[in-house]
Amino acid sequence: MNRIERIQEMLATNGKDNFLRHALALEYIKTGEEAKAKELFIAILEEFPDYIGSYYHLAKLLERSGEREQAIEWYEKGMSAAKNAKDQHAYNELQSAYEDLVY
């Protein structure tokens, strides 16, 4: 059984576990299934906007896919969420990636 199958099996019993959903999205990226990863990251963030770690990965995925404006939007949302959560490390990472893209 590969990693994706193992994660999906675990999600079958706990479908809203964001750690597992995030891990699955990262596995999708590794296997080139970026559309599935994008869909999963967006689902996580729409349901749980305070799940800070997914903002960076979603925005980077969008950036790689040439979806610049959407990447900027998700970086901005992530910076706002990180600021609200008082997560300075995540805020700095998002801000750095944002500035690299915008400037």
Side-chain angles (χ1 to χ4, degrees):
M1 184 181 301
N2 68 33
R3 290 178 107 126
I4 289 175
E5 291 168 339
R6 282 189 298 212
I7 295 169
Q8 288 172 330
E9 187 177 280
M10 289 184 273
L11 279 169
T13 59
N14 191 2
K16 294 296 181 182
D17 183 315
N18 286 326
F19 178 81
L20 291 174
R21 294 166 77 197
H22 182 89
L24 180 58
L26 293 176
E27 289 301 319
Y28 283 145
I29 290 172
K30 290 179 189 175
T31 61
E33 298 176 87
E34 292 194 345
K36 286 182 180 181
K38 176 182 172 182
E39 184 179 307
L40 194 48
F41 282 135
I42 289 172
I44 292 167
L45 293 171
E46 285 179 347
E47 293 173 51
F48 301 95
D50 59 340
Y51 200 76
I52 309 298
S54 290
Y55 287 100
Y56 178 86
H57 293 283
L58 173 59
K60 274 295 178 190
L61 185 154
L62 292 167
E63 197 176 327
R64 285 191 306 274
S65 300
E67 298 176 69
R68 184 178 187 276
E69 294 307 313
Q70 292 87 351
I72 290 169
E73 181 181 323
W74 283 104
Y75 281 131
E76 289 172 344
K77 287 180 183 181
M79 286 186 290
S80 177
K83 192 174 196 176
N84 289 339
K86 296 180 179 21
D87 185 338
Q88 192 63 44
H89 176 74
Y91 180 87
N92 291 344
E93 270 190 334
L94 288 158
Q95 183 181 34
S96 177
Y98 171 82
E99 288 176 356
D100 286 347
L101 179 60
V102 173
Y103 303 110

